[in-house]
Amino acid sequence: IATTSTTTVSTTTAGGSINSGVYTAAQAKRGEAVYNDSCAKCHLDDLSGGASSPPLKGDDFLKGWQGKTLGALFDEVRLTMPFDGPGSLTSAQNADVLAYMLQASKFSAGEKELDTDPAPLGQITIEMPK
């Protein structure tokens, strides 16, 4: 369970399917705001990627990550982004951005937020949306 300053939020449990609602709509909405502030300048407003930045949604993005875990993607984002300040976002902000990316790739929201720890996210394999 992750806690914020005002509420307690249930987070994903290990072993869930990426297609079983591993983030909430509210988390994706927060992620959209962080994305617009920290990511859109390189990956563009629609997450389609820029001249030197890969897309963060859709088939091309998912094919590159298929078979890998959300934990690996979380770590990639956490350690290398944003380009002009790697590691400058909090774990919660990274999880929120990841939720926004999943929403943009047409994965359904659920009732539990993505975890802010890569270990449980490492139990969720990235696959194509159903």
Side-chain angles (χ1 to χ4, degrees):
I1 295 180
T3 57
T4 63
S5 59
T6 57
T7 58
T8 298
V9 179
S10 295
T11 57
T12 53
T13 55
S17 167
I18 195 170
N19 282 295
S20 65
V22 297
Y23 70 93
T24 66
Q27 186 178 32
K29 185 71 172 167
R30 291 192 313 267
E32 181 178 13
V34 175
Y35 178 89
N36 287 335
D37 287 343
S38 301
C39 313
K41 61 185 165 266
C42 295
H43 294 277
L44 305 182
D45 291 342
D46 64 357
L47 291 88
S48 64
S52 60
S53 302
L56 300 179
K57 70 171 186 175
D59 288 348
D60 288 341
F61 165 72
L62 292 171
K63 286 176 187 170
W65 283 94
Q66 191 165 353
K68 298 175 185 170
T69 68
L70 282 180
L73 179 56
F74 180 87
D75 277 342
E76 178 78 12
V77 171
R78 180 175 64 88
L79 297 172
T80 66
M81 294 292 125
F83 180 75
D84 57 357
S88 62
L89 299 178
T90 67
S91 290
Q93 288 173 314
N94 286 314
D96 291 352
V97 168
L98 190 55
Y100 178 57
M101 291 165 55
L102 293 174
Q103 182 182 61
S105 287
K106 310 295 186 211
F107 290 100
S108 298
E111 295 186 18
K112 294 184 178 183
E113 293 198 345
L114 277 177
D115 208 294
T116 59
D117 177 357
L121 296 177
Q123 302 300 312
I124 304 171
T125 303
I126 297 171
E127 54 195 41
M128 298 304 275
K130 293 181 181 178

